[in-house]
Amino acid sequence: MSQWRSNEFLRDDWGHLALGVVLVAMSPYRPTRYLVLAGTVCGSFVAGLALYQSVYFATPLSPITFAIVAAIPVVALSLAGAAYAHAATQSRARWRAAALRFGKGDEGEASPTMLAKPQRVRLLNGEVMPLLERILNRDSISAPDASDAASVAAIARSIMVAEANRTWLDAVIAAHAANFLVAGREGIRKSAVRDDARLSDAMDFQQRTAIRALLGAIFTHPEFLASRFSAAVAVLPGGHKRLLIEAIFGTPERANSSLKQWPFGPSLRWSVQRAIGHLLTVTQRAFPWQDVIMDSSGSALKLTLRFSYGH
């Protein structure tokens, strides 16, 4: 407006570019619909200014051309900001859905008590109820009944001890292991988790939520091989702790085959990256340090994740 009737060239104007940059800067804080609407209104405004000033421009072009050239930076940058806002919103929504889906118990954590419930039901139906029925039918307690009662008590005690010794990481992975058994798939090995010192319990709530969601995405991948999964927590020099997760992807036929003509290499890598990529962004913010390695040189894709915490 300050150059009205004296602006001879559109190419040296900076107002429409600055307006587009402002719209991009607003993308983390405004919804997608707002950015699209703002870009349309601002683009129409600068296009109108260029259209009315076209008679004073030195370049011999049609007024519509000047309007389009002036509006393109504003509209393009606003659409870029809207695309970023949409992608960020969808990524957060997927992360939250995964965390809520695979989180159980208080504050979204998998409860060891809930995970042990099937064991308690089997103990009650298979051991306790038959014992009580025998005692009620005879209306007396025999020496074999006392021996059976002691055996049932020992089993119940072992279940409670196992619950007390189970770490947070054990509980989360045990929940997924139960899902594999229900689905009739090969399950996760009992020795897959190594956290004897209960180091995973030192993670804060944000780190636990991020790891839970990441494990959920890994375990639900259609080509995940549960029997070859492992997780370990150790203390490194300096006192900080490190979580190591190793997962193998590929159908059992692919993983056991020595043939190289399987056309799954790049597509499998892409599908794994698509499944966990947005969650790795979350873990990068939750942990001071992380390392991600994907090795597809063999007949299956090996994913290695390292997270450091407790600094």
Side-chain angles (χ1 to χ4, degrees):
M1 296 293 291
S2 63
Q3 292 182 318
W4 189 261
R5 296 184 178 183
S6 62
N7 186 16
E8 296 183 352
F9 299 100
L10 182 62
R11 63 175 180 267
D12 59 355
D13 292 350
W14 55 267
H16 54 296
L17 292 175
L19 190 58
V21 172
V22 170
L23 292 175
V24 171
M26 294 172 60
S27 59
Y29 313 104
R30 305 303 300 172
T32 303
R33 192 173 301 175
Y34 175 91
L35 294 171
V36 173
L37 180 61
T40 302
V41 173
C42 294
S44 301
F45 176 73
V46 297
L49 287 179
L51 188 65
Y52 283 113
Q53 292 190 81
S54 60
V55 295
Y56 305 108
F57 291 146
T59 307
L61 295 174
S62 66
I64 298 298
T65 303
F66 289 117
I68 294 175
V69 170
I72 282 179
V74 180
V75 176
L77 289 174
S78 67
L79 291 179
Y84 171 79
H86 178 74
T89 302
Q90 293 300 314
S91 175
R92 181 175 177 83
R94 288 194 300 268
W95 167 77
R96 181 175 177 83
L100 292 177
R101 178 181 178 185
F102 298 105
K104 309 291 183 180
D106 296 337
E107 297 183 347
E109 294 189 11
S111 170
T113 303
M114 293 176 61
L115 296 175
K117 187 175 180 180
Q119 292 179 298
R120 296 178 177 178
V121 172
R122 287 194 298 269
L123 177 64
L124 182 64
N125 294 334
E127 302 290 342
V128 177
M129 294 305 297
L131 175 62
L132 295 178
E133 289 177 358
R134 290 199 305 269
I135 294 175
L136 290 174
N137 291 335
R138 290 197 305 265
D139 199 21
S140 63
I141 299 177
S142 62
D145 293 335
S147 177
D148 292 342
S151 176
V152 171
I155 296 175
R157 188 162 46 250
S158 66
I159 292 176
M160 289 187 289
V161 170
E163 291 178 23
N165 292 334
R166 179 177 290 170
T167 67
W168 167 83
L169 187 60
D170 288 323
V172 173
I173 294 178
H176 295 291
N179 293 335
F180 283 109
L181 295 178
V182 170
R185 297 173 57 186
E186 189 174 5
I188 299 173
R189 295 175 289 109
K190 293 183 177 180
S191 60
V193 182
R194 299 187 299 277
D195 186 18
D196 298 335
R198 307 182 67 90
L199 299 175
S200 62
D201 293 343
M203 293 184 190
D204 59 31
F205 176 72
Q206 183 180 9
Q207 292 169 344
R208 294 188 184 192
T209 304
I211 291 297
R212 185 186 302 111
L214 178 61
L215 290 175
I218 291 174
F219 291 156
T220 55
H221 192 280
E223 301 240 24
F224 171 67
L225 299 178
S227 62
R228 301 178 64 179
F229 172 83
S230 66
V233 189
V235 179
L236 298 182
H240 59 275
K241 306 165 186 67
R242 181 167 297 177
L243 170 62
L244 170 64
I245 297 175
E246 293 182 345
I248 306 296
F249 297 87
T251 62
E253 292 80 9
R254 288 173 176 171
N256 296 327
S257 175
S258 59
L259 301 178
K260 302 301 181 182
Q261 68 268 23
W262 289 99
F264 73 97
S267 60
L268 179 58
R269 174 185 287 267
W270 177 85
S271 67
V272 173
Q273 289 176 338
R274 187 171 185 269
I276 68 173
H278 60 289
L279 296 172
L280 291 177
T281 303
V282 177
T283 57
Q284 189 173 16
R285 296 178 62 90
F287 289 88
W289 179 88
Q290 79 174 23
D291 182 36
V292 180
I293 300 176
M294 287 189 180
D295 181 14
S296 57
S297 58
S299 55
L301 178 66
K302 180 179 179 181
L303 173 66
T304 304
L305 304 171
R306 296 183 179 91
F307 305 96
S308 179
Y309 62 98
H311 289 256

